[in-house]
């Protein structure tokens, strides 16, 4: 892709989950009544681009954007009746928010962020869309079969083995993964108030596993919560606060999950203005993505990499709200 094509209007958007995130899928699977969105081919959790774009549109509305600007960036709302088919396409293209790192319980340090060669390769590919000189893609560390890597030597003890979720994985230290950990600590988490400890933890506690381990973690290390709907007692006071519906089970991506999506603005006379507004709206901000908003779910910190983005703290928001490890991986 030429430098002109990779110009002023391509960004990498990181989403860092402050609370569990439920971007709901259409169909249930097994005992989970309300599963999260997943890629059909890989089984990796994802927030589809249409869902993310809707969340960004709502953030713009809550941020006080004019309706004309919202329509110009995100497109007009679907029309009905006589006006059907006259909708306006927006300038902003929003890619799927793909998994970068999943928080997984371990025997040491409470949890580690676990990524994979596939997740890092996709992230490196997204970096190739950015303008030259903006966080060039890092090499993806090679993973031996049935082995994992650690960004810090503290994970590589005498036996080099660690319980990661339901798996026992042998780990080897990797300087290439350490470079990715530093990149994610800076770009995905940042050094804002209250985030410094998590950025330091990312530097120390990023692990990488291969496709023999990551699918199991993607299945077993999401959160599944049982919920019920209680009777309000309007028709029968004796049944007040008894179970009316349920239990039903909802799946969530856990807090501390890191995802990334590509954003791009098509060239237009107002492109630079829209770009500045978009960076101001999202970089360093907390927005809501997915369902169960009234339960406090889906709060995510946004950080952007791309033109017009600095590492300075944002103004107050409006009140609107390489080495391969050796060893084996077996079920523990």
């Amino acid at each position: 892709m030429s430098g002109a094509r990779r110009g002023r209007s391509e960004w990498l958007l990181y989403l860092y989950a402050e609370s569990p995130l439920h971007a709901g899928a259409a169909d249930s699977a097994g005992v989970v009544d309300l599963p999260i969105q997943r890629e059909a081919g890989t089984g990796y959790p994802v927030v589809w681009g249409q869902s993310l774009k809707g969340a960004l549109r709502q953030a713009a509305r809550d941020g006080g954007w004019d309706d004309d600007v919202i329509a110009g960036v995100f497109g007009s709302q679907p029309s009905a009746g006589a006006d059907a088919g006259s909708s306006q396409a927006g300038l902003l293209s929003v890619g799927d928010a793909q998994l970068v790192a999943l928080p997984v319980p371990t025997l040491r340090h409470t949890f580690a962020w676990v990524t994979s060669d596939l997740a890092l390769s996709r992230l490196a590919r997204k970096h190739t869309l950015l303008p030259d000189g903006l966080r060039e893609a890092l090499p993806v560390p090679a993973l031996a079969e049935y082995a994992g890597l650690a960004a810090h030597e503290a994970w590589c003890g005498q036996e080099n083995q660690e319980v990661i979720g339901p798996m026992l994985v042998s780990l080897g230290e990797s300087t290439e993964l350490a470079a990715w950990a530093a990149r994610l600590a800076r770009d995905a988490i940042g050094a804002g108030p209250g985030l410094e400890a998590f950025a330091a933890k990312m530097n120390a506690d990023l692990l990488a596993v291969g496709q023999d381990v990551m699918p199991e973690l993607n299945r077993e290390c999401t959160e599944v919560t049982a919920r019920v709907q209680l009777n309000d007692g309007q028709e029968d006071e004796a049944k007040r606060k008894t179970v009316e519906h349920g239990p039903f089970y909802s799946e969530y991506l856990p807090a501390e999950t890191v995802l990334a999506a590509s954003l791009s603005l098509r060239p237009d006379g107002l492109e630079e203005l829209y770009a500045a507004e978009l960076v101001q709206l999202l970089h360093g901000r907390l927005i809501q993505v997915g369902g169960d908003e009234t339960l406090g779910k889906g709060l995510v910190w946004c950080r952007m990499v791309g033109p017009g983005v600095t590492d300075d703290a944002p103004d107050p928001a409006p009140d609107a709200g390489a080495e391969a490890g050796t060893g084996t991986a077996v079920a523990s």
Side-chain angles (χ1 to χ4, degrees):
M1 183 177 295
S2 68
R5 188 77 178 91
R6 294 164 51 186
R8 303 166 298 184
S9 52
E10 302 279 352
W11 296 271
L12 182 58
L13 174 67
Y14 282 102
L15 304 176
Y16 176 41
E18 170 73 11
S19 64
L21 190 161
H22 176 83
D27 300 319
S28 62
V31 299
V32 179
D33 301 286
L34 300 172
I36 59 174
Q37 296 169 2
R38 291 180 181 272
E39 298 171 351
T42 66
Y44 272 49
V46 67
V47 177
W48 292 327
Q50 62 266 37
S51 300
L52 179 57
K53 189 172 184 179
L56 300 185
R57 175 194 286 272
Q58 185 60 48
R61 186 178 294 114
D62 294 341
W65 282 24
D66 293 337
D67 289 343
D68 289 345
V69 177
I70 292 176
V73 174
F74 297 99
S76 58
Q77 291 281 13
S79 37
D83 294 329
S86 62
S87 59
Q88 169 190 343
L91 298 178
L92 182 67
S93 296
V94 180
D96 295 343
Q98 296 176 319
L99 182 68
V100 173
L102 184 71
V104 175
T106 65
L107 291 182
R108 283 183 283 182
H109 312 297
T110 307
F111 76 93
W113 277 284
V114 181
T115 188
S116 69
D117 46 0
L118 175 62
L120 290 180
S121 296
R122 287 174 161 183
L123 187 56
R125 191 167 62 194
K126 287 181 174 65
H127 272 279
T128 65
L129 300 175
L130 298 176
D132 292 333
L134 287 175
R135 305 288 198 271
E136 297 295 340
L138 297 169
V140 176
L143 283 156
E145 189 175 6
Y146 302 113
L149 296 173
H152 195 279
E153 62 181 1
W155 289 91
C156 305
Q158 186 174 3
E159 296 183 357
N160 287 1
Q161 290 188 321
E162 177 65 33
V163 175
I164 304 174
M167 308 294 287
L168 180 63
V169 181
S170 65
L171 298 173
E173 187 182 359
S174 168
T175 56
E176 290 179 338
L177 187 62
W180 275 108
R183 170 72 60 83
L184 293 175
R186 177 182 57 190
D187 289 352
I189 299 178
L195 295 172
E196 302 94 334
F198 294 94
K201 182 174 177 62
M202 175 64 78
N203 270 302
D205 296 338
L206 180 66
L207 309 178
V209 297
Q211 295 313 299
D212 45 356
V213 177
M214 196 65 184
E216 184 70 16
L217 300 182
N218 286 336
R219 286 191 296 269
E220 298 297 329
C221 295
T222 58
E223 296 181 9
V224 177
T225 302
R227 297 170 54 193
V228 297
Q229 182 179 4
L230 299 182
N231 192 300
D232 58 13
Q234 291 184 1
E235 297 182 359
D236 186 349
E237 181 63 28
K239 293 184 178 180
R240 179 177 172 81
K241 292 191 176 181
T242 59
V243 175
E244 179 75 9
H245 300 292
F248 55 93
Y249 295 88
S250 298
E251 185 181 20
Y252 299 89
L253 276 173
E256 317 305 333
T257 298
V258 179
L259 305 115
S262 293
L263 304 181
S264 87
L265 274 175
R266 294 200 308 273
D268 182 87
L270 296 175
E271 177 189 2
E272 291 188 9
L273 173 62
Y274 289 160
E277 292 285 346
L278 197 63
V279 171
Q280 177 66 18
L281 174 73
L282 297 177
H283 185 58
R285 309 293 191 188
L286 187 68
I287 70 169
Q288 201 276 333
V289 176
D292 294 337
E293 179 179 2
T294 59
L295 301 178
K297 309 299 185 183
L299 296 175
V300 297
W301 292 100
C302 298
R303 284 185 63 83
M304 300 175 73
V305 178
V309 180
T310 69
D311 290 330
D312 298 333
D315 296 330
D319 291 337
E323 298 121 336
T326 59
T328 60
V330 297
S332 62

